[in-house]
Amino acid sequence: MVSHHAFISYNSQDGEIVHEIARRLVQDKGIFCWLDVWSLIPGRAWQNEIEAAISNCDVMLVALGKHGVGAWHHEEFRTAIDLFAEKPDERRVIPLLLPGAGPDANNLIPQFLRRFTYIDLRSGITPHQLDRLAAGIRGEPPGPPGGLRTSRPFTTTSSAPREISPWERRTLSRIDSILRVTERWVSSIQNRDGGLPSDADGTSSCTWTSAGMVYAINRRQRTPASAHWLRRTLTWVLDNRNRDGGVPLVIPGDPSITDATAQALLACAEMQRVIPGWEPETTSDDLIDWLLNRQQPSGGWAWRTSDEDAWTASTAYALHALSVANDVLGERPGLRDAITSGLSWLRDTRNDDCGWGSQAGRASQPAVSGLAMFCLTEIGLREFAAESGDYLRQKQNDEGGWQSTIDRPTGHSIIRFGDAHALAGMASAAYFDHEDVVRRGFDALIKSFKGSYFQYGDTAMKTWPTRDGLLAISAVASSVRAPGPEY
């Protein structure tokens, strides 16, 4: 039996060039790769074969070409990143930029893969780049160009950028368990119409809560098949948009709001990663247009109407959604300008203590600041977001949590969940600088977990706190799995 040194994950439309790379690795370097067309045995269940191959290979090569990311392509490297956390001293993930891919590496490489050093083959499969690829598979430094490094037999040993601590291992295991049981709970309370309850099981379906929950869960989704009930929920949300194209607070006829529309767009983008082509492109375009048309001249977004002042949380959600849509769905007219203007608003409205208030000029609030940090990190501005870490450290209470905030836009009161939002911000942007704060914050948030859902205090509110809690613990998991502070 051939021992495979690496698994190659690729879009089948890029198959010709990927097969050539695999042949060159075998012929020139003696490195054997698991490639579906070479390795799948006719008559066997191919899904099981692929899962076994990923588990048995210590290195995954993620090929990224002009045809983008395919459905199973995406799930394969998501699985590899999860396995990376189990054996960080043995497993590696290496993105490959293929010939014919676009010029911007950041747009080519999915956000959660950008932490890994990539191999650039866009100018062709040159001897130097093939040497670098072989070195990465072997787990050794590539050395200078020109073949000055002596070759050696393949080995699976490598040096990990950092060692995951016992607390981190326990926390990852706990988070994985919470994610599983919570998803089962959410699917069990799904209403007959496909929507999710507004506050607790048995209440009427709510478009805002449903959209946000699809995003929160799908952000950690692993297989297209398991997305079925989430797709049904998101379809219900999109079917219940208002005539203006926006997503209402609860049901059609309620005012369209920025937070719900942005979270619906995020959910559409994440669903597109899992099931490409699952919904008409015009649906996402309508959501994008609604957000673009509601951006204020200042660059911010109001929660509801354009005649009220912009809200920090709404602006952060809108920026996050438009940036992800730009990455996943492609550029649209005016999209980059809107993102730039929105970022300028967040930069200009941050207070001297490096926190954000609910609106420009208001006192900083931990929940709002954490949400802004999380959204900024998600769109690639980790360094800027991390500058607010000291503010959240100072505002952490004796129990390890943070104060919630109640925003009061026109006619409503919106709770910003302090323990969840602040933890999401700290974990995503400043984990390695404030690990002790994240640990205490995680323990504080888990006190709100009631076995299968998160609950806000002593209230009956479960659904939206679960949405916020899932985003927070997912942010913790992503940072724990990161190789180190330089990513």
Side-chain angles (χ1 to χ4, degrees), residues 198-199 213 417 420 445 453-456 459 461-470:
S198 56
D199 289 323
M213 189 70 81
F417 192 176
L445 176 63
Y453 55 83
F454 288 86
Q455 184 171 337
Y456 186 73
T459 71
M461 301 175 186
K462 301 176 183 177
T463 316
W464 66 259
T466 298
R467 171 199 66 196
D468 296 345
L470 288 178

Side-chain angles (χ1 to χ4, degrees), residues 291-342:
L291 290 171
L292 292 179
N293 291 334
R294 266 73 181 175
Q295 188 175 27
Q296 298 183 352
S298 65
W301 275 267
W303 183 78
R304 173 184 170 184
T305 60
S306 57
D307 58 354
E308 67 178 357
D309 291 339
W311 292 84
T312 302
S314 299
T315 299
Y317 277 131
L319 266 179
H320 184 191
L322 292 176
S323 297
V324 171
N326 187 65
D327 289 343
V328 177
L329 305 173
E331 287 201 34
R332 303 293 194 275
L335 197 51
R336 284 193 178 274
D337 288 343
I339 293 170
T340 300
S341 181

